[in-house]
Amino acid sequence: MRVIHRSAAIDPENEAPSAPREHVLATDVDVADSFGSQARGLMFRRSVPDDYALVFPFEEADSRSLHMLFVPFAIDALWLVDGEVTKAKRLRPWVGLGWGTADTIIELPAGAAEDVEPGDIVEVVE
């Protein structure tokens, strides 16, 4: 599995969408698809590889929160609705907190989603 990012950037010369730029955010992907794995998330891990993502799928879009309790490293978090980024935020170790509307949340190592912005498309592909 991979996590792919497609930018929805605007071409500044003609103010029209530019050709989508695509790059891989992660190639080592885990899916938190049970209550226990979603509650645990990245807690109690010392680190994650640079090409890692933890994906939280939900049945429908709703207000969703993330916390960094017992996570000793920073992460980038993406909130998605139907593959479109609704929010991207860097969460600080131990004390970070984030809220957003999502049917999917993706957690990545800090810096991995630096160029991802609301409106971009992010997909998990086989």
Side-chain angles (χ1 to χ4, degrees):
M1 249 188 284
R2 298 176 299 145
V3 177
I4 306 292
H5 168 231
R6 291 183 184 89
S7 174
I10 300 295
D11 182 350
E13 289 190 23
N14 62 14
E15 296 184 11
S18 61
R21 293 179 306 235
E22 180 176 299
H23 72 277
V24 177
L25 296 177
T27 57
D28 181 6
V29 180
D30 285 332
V31 178
D33 54 4
S34 70
F35 177 79
S37 63
Q38 289 180 350
R40 186 177 56 253
L42 295 175
M43 290 192 309
F44 309 113
R45 296 188 193 196
R46 293 184 183 269
S47 64
V48 292
D50 289 340
D51 64 341
Y52 182 80
L54 181 58
V55 178
F56 297 79
F58 301 98
E59 290 190 22
E60 59 187 40
D62 203 350
S63 181
R64 311 255 180 226
S65 66
L66 291 178
H67 66 81
M68 295 294 287
L69 189 62
F70 299 113
V71 181
F73 50 90
I75 65 167
D76 287 348
L78 303 174
W79 286 259
L80 314 173
V81 174
D82 295 330
E84 183 176 331
V85 178
T86 60
K87 182 175 184 174
K89 183 175 182 181
R90 171 91 31 97
L91 298 177
R92 296 183 348 196
W94 299 102
V95 297
L97 183 63
W99 289 88
T101 300
D103 60 17
T104 304
I105 295 175
I106 300 178
E107 296 180 343
L108 300 151
E114 191 169 291
D115 296 330
V116 179
E117 298 180 7
D120 289 356
I121 300 298
V122 173
E123 298 176 321
V124 179
V125 297
E126 293 294 326

